């Protein structure tokens, strides 16, 4: 089940959760997480063994077959789509930002 890692669920996050859970159901072992940063930014992370050996473009293209089910207004809020294998997770600086985001000065 797609997990909200910080904040509260809203209608747009719930819509994204629905498509991410569909992805997880189709790809056993995949873990999807998301959160909202600020009022208009949504970050998504999927860690999946299925990504092993796939290029970043192939991973992105595969996930967009799910995300394209969302309304354009929801999609415009997705600013980070982090697609990692479990082995890549520890070495990814963006993964660190996902786990412990730097406070915004704005």
């Amino acid at each position: 089940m797609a997990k909200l890692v910080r904040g509260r669920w809203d209608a747009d996050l719930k819509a994204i959760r629905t498509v991410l859970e569909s992805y997880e159901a189709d790809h056993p072992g995949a873990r999807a997480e998301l959160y909202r940063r600020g009022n208009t930014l949504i970050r998504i992370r999927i860690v999946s063994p299925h990504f092993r050996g796939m290029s970043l473009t192939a991973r992105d293209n595969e996930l967009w077959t799910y995300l394209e089910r969302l309304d354009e207004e929801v999609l415009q809020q997705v600013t980070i789509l982090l697609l990692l294998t479990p082995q890549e997770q520890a070495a990814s600086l963006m993964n660190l930002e996902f786990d412990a985001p730097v406070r915004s000065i704005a």
Side-chain angles (χ1 to χ4, degrees):
M1 176 179 230
K3 177 181 172 186
L4 184 68
V5 295
R6 84 182 44 81
R8 294 185 171 174
W9 289 107
D10 60 36
D12 294 341
L13 291 171
K14 287 177 182 178
I16 294 171
R17 175 180 61 185
T18 299
V19 298
L20 293 179
E21 287 176 350
S22 179
Y23 181 86
E24 287 175 323
D26 292 344
H27 299 87
R31 291 178 293 117
E33 300 172 321
L34 69 159
Y35 71 94
R36 181 178 290 286
R37 177 147 176 144
N39 294 328
T40 60
L41 308 176
I42 296 174
R43 294 178 172 181
I44 299 170
R45 171 176 59 189
I46 298 178
V47 178
S48 176
H50 175 74
F51 294 142
R52 181 185 292 254
M54 292 176 70
S55 70
L56 296 178
T57 301
R59 297 174 192 189
D60 191 63
N61 289 340
E62 181 176 281
L63 195 59
W64 276 100
T65 63
Y66 292 83
L67 294 176
E68 66 188 7
R69 303 172 191 169
L70 296 166
D71 291 337
E72 187 66 30
E73 294 87 24
V74 175
L75 284 176
Q76 289 176 354
Q77 298 175 68
V78 176
T79 57
I80 294 176
L81 184 57
L82 187 58
L83 308 173
L84 302 169
T85 67
Q87 296 77 18
E88 295 167 337
Q89 194 171 2
S92 168
L93 292 178
M94 194 63 234
N95 186 64
L96 179 61
E97 173 65 16
F98 197 97
D99 286 336
V102 175
R103 281 193 90 162
S104 173
I105 57 171

